Amino acid sequence: MTISAKSLRFDDDSMWVELSDGRVLGVPLAWFPRLLHATPRQRLAFEISRGGLHWDELDEDISIAGLLAGKGDQTQGREAAA
């Protein structure tokens, strides 16, 4: 069974992802600095794909598998090296 996102919403501090199996994940925006510093309009400009969430304008991709594993932003080391 592949678990995917059904919907996504935000509050001041968190991203809430409703999953296809009925669970809802609350994830701190601090885990994803691009989303934390984005405008509300930018946060809402997302696409849901089979494997995750994508923000084209923010160059942000978040996998559902990563969220379920408790992983935050995995690009910090790469950005520092760039």
Side-chain angles (χ1 to χ4, degrees):
M1 175 180 172
T2 300
I3 299 169
S4 59
K6 284 180 54 178
S7 67
L8 178 64
R9 66 181 173 84
F10 294 90
D11 63 24
D12 291 339
D13 303 309
S14 300
M15 172 174 69
W16 298 89
V17 184
E18 181 183 358
L19 301 177
S20 58
D21 67 358
R23 289 182 282 179
V24 177
L25 300 178
V27 183
L29 287 176
W31 282 16
F32 300 98
R34 289 183 188 125
L35 293 177
L36 178 65
H37 299 296
T39 66
R41 182 196 60 77
Q42 288 173 315
R43 287 182 192 152
L44 292 176
F46 63 88
E47 297 174 22
I48 296 176
S49 68
R50 189 168 185 212
L53 308 165
H54 173 73
W55 289 261
D56 192 48
E57 183 178 345
L58 300 174
D59 192 27
E60 181 73 87
D61 291 288
I62 300 173
S63 74
I64 299 305
L67 290 177
L68 289 170
K71 295 181 180 177
D73 185 359
Q74 300 294 298
T75 62
Q76 290 175 346
R78 286 182 289 187
E79 287 177 351

